[in-house]
PDB file of all heavy atoms in Angstrom:
ATOM      1  N   ALA C 240      78.339  80.943  89.051  1.00  0.00           N
ATOM      2  CA  ALA C 240      77.388  81.599  89.845  1.00  0.00           C
ATOM      3  C   ALA C 240      78.082  82.414  90.877  1.00  0.00           C
ATOM      4  O   ALA C 240      77.709  83.523  91.252  1.00  0.00           O
ATOM      5  CB  ALA C 240      76.376  80.589  90.495  1.00  0.00           C
ATOM      6  N   THR C 241      79.112  81.764  91.587  1.00  0.00           N
ATOM      7  CA  THR C 241      79.775  82.383  92.683  1.00  0.00           C
ATOM      8  C   THR C 241      80.584  83.694  92.200  1.00  0.00           C
ATOM      9  O   THR C 241      80.513  84.696  92.870  1.00  0.00           O
ATOM     10  CB  THR C 241      80.737  81.438  93.404  1.00  0.00           C
ATOM     11  OG1 THR C 241      79.969  80.333  93.921  1.00  0.00           O
ATOM     12  CG2 THR C 241      81.424  82.113  94.530  1.00  0.00           C
ATOM     13  N   ILE C 242      81.322  83.552  91.170  1.00  0.00           N
ATOM     14  CA  ILE C 242      82.227  84.637  90.637  1.00  0.00           C
ATOM     15  C   ILE C 242      81.358  85.778  90.304  1.00  0.00           C
ATOM     16  O   ILE C 242      81.630  86.944  90.527  1.00  0.00           O
ATOM     17  CB  ILE C 242      83.136  84.171  89.454  1.00  0.00           C
ATOM     18  CG1 ILE C 242      84.144  83.157  90.068  1.00  0.00           C
ATOM     19  CG2 ILE C 242      83.789  85.314  88.917  1.00  0.00           C
ATOM     20  CD1 ILE C 242      84.945  82.512  88.996  1.00  0.00           C
ATOM     21  N   LEU C 243      80.313  85.438  89.507  1.00  0.00           N
ATOM     22  CA  LEU C 243      79.451  86.516  89.096  1.00  0.00           C
ATOM     23  C   LEU C 243      78.760  87.305  90.225  1.00  0.00           C
ATOM     24  O   LEU C 243      78.865  88.538  90.231  1.00  0.00           O
ATOM     25  CB  LEU C 243      78.262  85.924  88.169  1.00  0.00           C
ATOM     26  CG  LEU C 243      77.090  86.890  87.735  1.00  0.00           C
ATOM     27  CD1 LEU C 243      77.824  87.898  86.805  1.00  0.00           C
ATOM     28  CD2 LEU C 243      76.064  86.089  86.983  1.00  0.00           C
ATOM     29  N   ALA C 244      78.214  86.660  91.181  1.00  0.00           N
ATOM     30  CA  ALA C 244      77.646  87.185  92.414  1.00  0.00           C
ATOM     31  C   ALA C 244      78.542  88.052  93.168  1.00  0.00           C
ATOM     32  O   ALA C 244      78.239  89.163  93.533  1.00  0.00           O
ATOM     33  CB  ALA C 244      76.913  86.267  93.185  1.00  0.00           C
ATOM     34  N   CYS C 245      79.790  87.496  93.462  1.00  0.00           N
ATOM     35  CA  CYS C 245      80.688  88.235  94.273  1.00  0.00           C
ATOM     36  C   CYS C 245      81.252  89.488  93.641  1.00  0.00           C
ATOM     37  O   CYS C 245      81.426  90.574  94.250  1.00  0.00           O
ATOM     38  CB  CYS C 245      81.967  87.290  94.644  1.00  0.00           C
ATOM     39  SG  CYS C 245      81.510  86.056  95.930  1.00  0.00           S
ATOM     40  N   THR C 246      81.452  89.419  92.367  1.00  0.00           N
ATOM     41  CA  THR C 246      82.049  90.520  91.528  1.00  0.00           C
ATOM     42  C   THR C 246      80.951  91.719  91.417  1.00  0.00           C
ATOM     43  O   THR C 246      81.314  92.830  91.563  1.00  0.00           O
ATOM     44  CB  THR C 246      82.434  90.135  90.150  1.00  0.00           C
ATOM     45  OG1 THR C 246      83.404  89.005  90.209  1.00  0.00           O
ATOM     46  CG2 THR C 246      83.085  91.238  89.384  1.00  0.00           C
ATOM     47  N   VAL C 247      79.780  91.203  91.309  1.00  0.00           N
ATOM     48  CA  VAL C 247      78.610  92.308  91.267  1.00  0.00           C
ATOM     49  C   VAL C 247      78.590  92.986  92.551  1.00  0.00           C
ATOM     50  O   VAL C 247      78.384  94.282  92.615  1.00  0.00           O
ATOM     51  CB  VAL C 247      77.367  91.629  90.904  1.00  0.00           C
ATOM     52  CG1 VAL C 247      76.169  92.436  91.205  1.00  0.00           C
ATOM     53  CG2 VAL C 247      77.320  91.292  89.452  1.00  0.00           C
ATOM     54  N   VAL C 248      78.641  92.297  93.697  1.00  0.00           N
ATOM     55  CA  VAL C 248      78.578  92.895  95.081  1.00  0.00           C
ATOM     56  C   VAL C 248      79.680  93.940  95.190  1.00  0.00           C
ATOM     57  O   VAL C 248      79.341  95.078  95.718  1.00  0.00           O
ATOM     58  CB  VAL C 248      78.654  91.889  96.125  1.00  0.00           C
ATOM     59  CG1 VAL C 248      78.768  92.488  97.513  1.00  0.00           C
ATOM     60  CG2 VAL C 248      77.353  91.013  96.081  1.00  0.00           C
ATOM     61  N   ILE C 249      80.901  93.617  94.811  1.00  0.00           N
ATOM     62  CA  ILE C 249      81.955  94.618  94.988  1.00  0.00           C
ATOM     63  C   ILE C 249      81.676  95.903  94.120  1.00  0.00           C
ATOM     64  O   ILE C 249      82.034  97.081  94.512  1.00  0.00           O
ATOM     65  CB  ILE C 249      83.292  94.023  94.487  1.00  0.00           C
ATOM     66  CG1 ILE C 249      83.707  92.973  95.366  1.00  0.00           C
ATOM     67  CG2 ILE C 249      84.399  95.096  94.353  1.00  0.00           C
ATOM     68  CD1 ILE C 249      84.980  92.176  95.070  1.00  0.00           C
ATOM     69  N   GLY C 250      80.910  95.750  92.958  1.00  0.00           N
ATOM     70  CA  GLY C 250      80.652  96.897  92.166  1.00  0.00           C
ATOM     71  C   GLY C 250      79.339  97.738  92.611  1.00  0.00           C
ATOM     72  O   GLY C 250      79.037  98.680  92.067  1.00  0.00           O
ATOM     73  N   LEU C 251      78.675  97.156  93.659  1.00  0.00           N
ATOM     74  CA  LEU C 251      77.472  97.826  94.172  1.00  0.00           C
ATOM     75  C   LEU C 251      77.728  98.567  95.507  1.00  0.00           C
ATOM     76  O   LEU C 251      76.895  99.468  95.858  1.00  0.00           O
ATOM     77  CB  LEU C 251      76.295  96.776  94.290  1.00  0.00           C
ATOM     78  CG  LEU C 251      75.759  96.255  92.970  1.00  0.00           C
ATOM     79  CD1 LEU C 251      74.832  95.119  93.318  1.00  0.00           C
ATOM     80  CD2 LEU C 251      75.166  97.332  92.142  1.00  0.00           C
ATOM     81  N   VAL C 252      78.632  98.080  96.205  1.00  0.00           N
ATOM     82  CA  VAL C 252      78.805  98.547  97.665  1.00  0.00           C
ATOM     83  C   VAL C 252      80.208  99.236  97.870  1.00  0.00           C
ATOM     84  O   VAL C 252      81.180  98.629  97.393  1.00  0.00           O
ATOM     85  CB  VAL C 252      78.593  97.461  98.669  1.00  0.00           C
ATOM     86  CG1 VAL C 252      78.758  97.983 100.150  1.00  0.00           C
ATOM     87  CG2 VAL C 252      77.310  96.685  98.484  1.00  0.00           C
ATOM     88  N   PRO C 253      80.160 100.464  98.437  1.00  0.00           N
ATOM     89  CA  PRO C 253      81.522 101.072  98.639  1.00  0.00           C
ATOM     90  C   PRO C 253      82.492 100.263  99.398  1.00  0.00           C
ATOM     91  O   PRO C 253      82.009  99.500 100.352  1.00  0.00           O
ATOM     92  CB  PRO C 253      81.185 102.385  99.334  1.00  0.00           C
ATOM     93  CG  PRO C 253      79.795 102.733  98.992  1.00  0.00           C
ATOM     94  CD  PRO C 253      79.128 101.209  98.805  1.00  0.00           C
ATOM     95  N   THR C 254      83.753 100.237  99.246  1.00  0.00           N
ATOM     96  CA  THR C 254      84.702  99.395  99.888  1.00  0.00           C
ATOM     97  C   THR C 254      84.675  99.545 101.435  1.00  0.00           C
ATOM     98  O   THR C 254      84.758  98.541 102.171  1.00  0.00           O
ATOM     99  CB  THR C 254      86.140  99.681  99.407  1.00  0.00           C
ATOM    100  OG1 THR C 254      86.226  99.371  97.996  1.00  0.00           O
ATOM    101  CG2 THR C 254      87.101  98.786 100.144  1.00  0.00           C
ATOM    102  N   ASP C 255      84.568 100.788 101.936  1.00  0.00           N
ATOM    103  CA  ASP C 255      84.582 101.032 103.339  1.00  0.00           C
ATOM    104  C   ASP C 255      83.418 100.334 104.045  1.00  0.00           C
ATOM    105  O   ASP C 255      83.446  99.955 105.180  1.00  0.00           O
ATOM    106  CB  ASP C 255      84.697 102.487 103.653  1.00  0.00           C
ATOM    107  CG  ASP C 255      83.562 103.214 103.023  1.00  0.00           C
ATOM    108  OD1 ASP C 255      82.939 102.769 102.091  1.00  0.00           O
ATOM    109  OD2 ASP C 255      83.289 104.480 103.562  1.00  0.00           O
ATOM    110  N   VAL C 256      82.327 100.314 103.392  1.00  0.00           N
ATOM    111  CA  VAL C 256      81.026  99.672 103.902  1.00  0.00           C
ATOM    112  C   VAL C 256      81.130  98.196 103.793  1.00  0.00           C
ATOM    113  O   VAL C 256      80.846  97.469 104.727  1.00  0.00           O
ATOM    114  CB  VAL C 256      79.803 100.169 103.163  1.00  0.00           C
ATOM    115  CG1 VAL C 256      78.541  99.370 103.693  1.00  0.00           C
ATOM    116  CG2 VAL C 256      79.671 101.622 103.388  1.00  0.00           C
ATOM    117  N   LEU C 257      81.651  97.678 102.759  1.00  0.00           N
ATOM    118  CA  LEU C 257      81.838  96.224 102.418  1.00  0.00           C
ATOM    119  C   LEU C 257      82.720  95.551 103.343  1.00  0.00           C
ATOM    120  O   LEU C 257      82.397  94.384 103.783  1.00  0.00           O
ATOM    121  CB  LEU C 257      82.309  96.092 100.983  1.00  0.00           C
ATOM    122  CG  LEU C 257      82.085  94.662 100.281  1.00  0.00           C
ATOM    123  CD1 LEU C 257      80.554  94.319 100.340  1.00  0.00           C
ATOM    124  CD2 LEU C 257      82.677  94.725  98.923  1.00  0.00           C
ATOM    125  N   LYS C 258      83.795  96.212 103.836  1.00  0.00           N
ATOM    126  CA  LYS C 258      84.709  95.482 104.664  1.00  0.00           C
ATOM    127  C   LYS C 258      84.115  94.940 106.036  1.00  0.00           C
ATOM    128  O   LYS C 258      84.588  94.015 106.515  1.00  0.00           O
ATOM    129  CB  LYS C 258      85.894  96.568 105.080  1.00  0.00           C
ATOM    130  CG  LYS C 258      86.878  96.827 103.877  1.00  0.00           C
ATOM    131  CD  LYS C 258      87.894  97.836 104.321  1.00  0.00           C
ATOM    132  CE  LYS C 258      88.878  98.106 103.203  1.00  0.00           C
ATOM    133  NZ  LYS C 258      89.878  99.088 103.583  1.00  0.00           N
ATOM    134  N   GLY C 259      83.210  95.706 106.570  1.00  0.00           N
ATOM    135  CA  GLY C 259      82.578  95.255 107.758  1.00  0.00           C
ATOM    136  C   GLY C 259      81.255  94.738 107.748  1.00  0.00           C
ATOM    137  O   GLY C 259      80.635  94.503 108.820  1.00  0.00           O
ATOM    138  N   SER C 260      80.736  94.457 106.565  1.00  0.00           N
ATOM    139  CA  SER C 260      79.435  93.916 106.452  1.00  0.00           C
ATOM    140  C   SER C 260      79.320  92.427 106.849  1.00  0.00           C
ATOM    141  O   SER C 260      80.129  91.628 106.277  1.00  0.00           O
ATOM    142  CB  SER C 260      78.919  94.209 105.010  1.00  0.00           C
ATOM    143  OG  SER C 260      77.581  93.630 104.836  1.00  0.00           O
ATOM    144  N   GLY C 261      78.377  92.019 107.555  1.00  0.00           N
ATOM    145  CA  GLY C 261      78.191  90.690 107.888  1.00  0.00           C
ATOM    146  C   GLY C 261      77.269  89.914 106.876  1.00  0.00           C
ATOM    147  O   GLY C 261      77.107  88.780 106.830  1.00  0.00           O
ATOM    148  N   ALA C 262      76.625  90.758 106.023  1.00  0.00           N
ATOM    149  CA  ALA C 262      75.810  90.168 104.954  1.00  0.00           C
ATOM    150  C   ALA C 262      75.911  91.136 103.705  1.00  0.00           C
ATOM    151  O   ALA C 262      75.010  91.871 103.301  1.00  0.00           O
ATOM    152  CB  ALA C 262      74.310  90.198 105.433  1.00  0.00           C
ATOM    153  N   PRO C 263      77.054  91.020 103.079  1.00  0.00           N
ATOM    154  CA  PRO C 263      77.354  91.988 101.929  1.00  0.00           C
ATOM    155  C   PRO C 263      76.446  91.854 100.744  1.00  0.00           C
ATOM    156  O   PRO C 263      76.065  92.865 100.135  1.00  0.00           O
ATOM    157  CB  PRO C 263      78.842  91.690 101.552  1.00  0.00           C
ATOM    158  CG  PRO C 263      79.066  90.284 102.105  1.00  0.00           C
ATOM    159  CD  PRO C 263      78.208  90.162 103.314  1.00  0.00           C
ATOM    160  N   MET C 264      75.947  90.716 100.422  1.00  0.00           N
ATOM    161  CA  MET C 264      75.007  90.533  99.299  1.00  0.00           C
ATOM    162  C   MET C 264      73.657  91.069  99.642  1.00  0.00           C
ATOM    163  O   MET C 264      73.064  91.832  98.830  1.00  0.00           O
ATOM    164  CB  MET C 264      74.875  89.077  98.925  1.00  0.00           C
ATOM    165  CG  MET C 264      74.092  88.850  97.592  1.00  0.00           C
ATOM    166  SD  MET C 264      74.085  87.215  96.933  1.00  0.00           S
ATOM    167  CE  MET C 264      75.911  87.015  96.523  1.00  0.00           C
ATOM    168  N   ALA C 265      73.175  90.968 100.822  1.00  0.00           N
ATOM    169  CA  ALA C 265      71.996  91.644 101.226  1.00  0.00           C
ATOM    170  C   ALA C 265      72.078  93.135 101.189  1.00  0.00           C
ATOM    171  O   ALA C 265      71.184  93.941 100.868  1.00  0.00           O
ATOM    172  CB  ALA C 265      71.475  91.118 102.519  1.00  0.00           C
ATOM    173  N   GLU C 266      73.263  93.673 101.645  1.00  0.00           N
ATOM    174  CA  GLU C 266      73.575  95.048 101.651  1.00  0.00           C
ATOM    175  C   GLU C 266      73.605  95.608 100.250  1.00  0.00           C
ATOM    176  O   GLU C 266      72.962  96.653 100.042  1.00  0.00           O
ATOM    177  CB  GLU C 266      74.955  95.236 102.185  1.00  0.00           C
ATOM    178  CG  GLU C 266      75.443  96.728 102.206  1.00  0.00           C
ATOM    179  CD  GLU C 266      74.945  97.568 103.302  1.00  0.00           C
ATOM    180  OE1 GLU C 266      74.565  97.058 104.276  1.00  0.00           O
ATOM    181  OE2 GLU C 266      74.795  98.828 102.985  1.00  0.00           O
ATOM    182  N   ALA C 267      74.119  94.805  99.263  1.00  0.00           N
ATOM    183  CA  ALA C 267      74.068  95.272  97.882  1.00  0.00           C
ATOM    184  C   ALA C 267      72.634  95.363  97.378  1.00  0.00           C
ATOM    185  O   ALA C 267      72.367  96.220  96.641  1.00  0.00           O
ATOM    186  CB  ALA C 267      75.012  94.378  96.985  1.00  0.00           C
ATOM    187  N   ALA C 268      71.893  94.324  97.621  1.00  0.00           N
ATOM    188  CA  ALA C 268      70.504  94.256  97.129  1.00  0.00           C
ATOM    189  C   ALA C 268      69.740  95.374  97.635  1.00  0.00           C
ATOM    190  O   ALA C 268      68.851  95.964  96.984  1.00  0.00           O
ATOM    191  CB  ALA C 268      69.881  92.896  97.395  1.00  0.00           C
ATOM    192  N   GLY C 269      69.881  95.674  98.982  1.00  0.00           N
ATOM    193  CA  GLY C 269      69.171  96.726  99.548  1.00  0.00           C
ATOM    194  C   GLY C 269      69.434  98.151  98.979  1.00  0.00           C
ATOM    195  O   GLY C 269      68.643  99.036  98.853  1.00  0.00           O
ATOM    196  N   ARG C 270      70.656  98.405  98.470  1.00  0.00           N
ATOM    197  CA  ARG C 270      71.048  99.590  97.931  1.00  0.00           C
ATOM    198  C   ARG C 270      70.420  99.751  96.550  1.00  0.00           C
ATOM    199  O   ARG C 270      70.186 100.978  96.082  1.00  0.00           O
ATOM    200  CB  ARG C 270      72.613  99.753  97.823  1.00  0.00           C
ATOM    201  CG  ARG C 270      73.282  99.973  99.139  1.00  0.00           C
ATOM    202  CD  ARG C 270      74.750  99.834  99.008  1.00  0.00           C
ATOM    203  NE  ARG C 270      75.458 100.241 100.208  1.00  0.00           N
ATOM    204  CZ  ARG C 270      75.847 101.442 100.622  1.00  0.00           C
ATOM    205  NH1 ARG C 270      75.684 102.388  99.641  1.00  0.00           N
ATOM    206  NH2 ARG C 270      76.379 101.738 101.665  1.00  0.00           N
TER     207      ARG C 270
END
């Protein structure tokens, strides 16, 4: 569950945004 979710988030959010996000999974879902 963890690997799947983390890998998906990297594929949904640009790296420059992801680096500073305090809630990256919520950021991915919102996009």
